[in-house]
């Protein structure tokens, strides 16, 4: 129990299922980047739990850094206008960068971040997202690793918030009607 469980309508991904997905993602990254030392960049706040579990699932040398962004818009829809609240500490020039996202909806946030990071001349730049919404992308995106596809519904938990709440739920679910305004 987390104190928020009563607001959840349906669990889409259980804590166990998430752990399986993240373990697979970590294994794929470890295989694809064998012999390299990727720089794994988490986008805060949404990716904070994913980064922790993914880090433990990666078996090759790797480095970690974080960016914090906030997108303008309502609590449940991003506008694609992104503000960088905290930039990377590390220089990514000539590094193999993997950008870690919680969820891709319209893709506008990711597009902005990729454009920003590409100007810093990394050796390579790929994207790993835990969730991707089906048929909602408004811009073409090249996502190397997708953990799980969901339909176009608003979800919370495992890092994802509604108005800053529910991030600490160990599972991902939808909210009961009347909570999302
Ligand atoms: P996009 O720019 O429309 O792709 O939205 C990306 C960002 O919006 C994510 O990083 C989340 O912070 C937020 N977001 C999109 N869909 C959801 C959702 O279903 N639940 C919680 N946050 C979401
Ligand atoms: Mg959010």
């Amino acid at each position: 129990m987390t104190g928020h469980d009563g607001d959840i309508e349906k669990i889409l991904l259980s804590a166990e299922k998430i752990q399986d997905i993240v373990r697979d993602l970590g294994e794929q990254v470890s295989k694809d980047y064998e012999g390299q030392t990727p720089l794994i960049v988490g986008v805060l706040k949404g990716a904070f739990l994913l980064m922790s579990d993914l880090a433990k699932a990666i078996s090759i040398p790797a480095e970690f850094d974080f960016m914090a962004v906030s997108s303008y818009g309502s609590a449940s829809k991003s506008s694609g206008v992104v503000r960088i609240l905290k930039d990377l500490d590390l220089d990514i020039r000539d590094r193999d960068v993997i950008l870690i996202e919680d969820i891709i909806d319209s893709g506008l946030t990711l597009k902005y971040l990729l454009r920003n990071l590409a100007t810093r001349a990394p050796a390579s730049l790929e994207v790993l997202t835990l969730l991707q919404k089906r048929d909602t992308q408004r811009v073409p995106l090249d996502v190397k690793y997708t953990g799980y596809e969901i339909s176009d519904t608003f979800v919370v938990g495992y890092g994802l918030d509604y108005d800053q709440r529910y991030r600490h739920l160990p599972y991902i679910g939808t909210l009961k009607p009347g909570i999302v305004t």
Side-chain angles (χ1 to χ4, degrees), residues 2-40:
T2 61
H4 279 320
D5 295 327
D7 292 354
I8 301 300
E9 180 172 56
K10 186 165 178 263
I11 294 180
L12 294 186
L13 285 179
S14 68
E16 294 73 27
K17 175 84 179 161
I18 293 171
Q19 294 306 318
D20 287 349
I21 291 170
V22 175
R23 211 172 305 114
D24 283 351
L25 289 170
E27 280 172 19
Q28 282 179 53
V29 167
S30 304
K31 189 156 129 283
D32 294 348
Y33 288 82
E34 176 89 68
Q36 294 164 271
T37 304
L39 176 57
I40 300 179

Side-chain angles (χ1 to χ4, degrees), residues 75 161 164 167:
D161 72 306
Q164 299 305 327
R167 291 192 197 276

Side-chain angles (χ1 to χ4, degrees), residues 43 45-46 69 71 75-80 82 101-111 131 133 136-138 141 150 153-157 159-162 167:
V43 182
K45 300 175 201 171
V69 303
S71 58
S76 64
K77 265 287 167 255
S78 92
S79 64
V82 179
E101 267 280 18
D102 49 359
I103 189 166
I104 300 171
D105 183 4
S106 69
L108 293 171
T109 304
L110 186 61
K111 186 180 167 216
L131 299 178
K133 289 190 190 172
T136 58
Q137 275 83 66
R138 286 163 55 189
L141 290 174
I150 61 170
T153 48
F154 192 79
V155 294
V156 296
L160 291 158
D161 72 306
Y162 173 64
R167 291 192 197 276

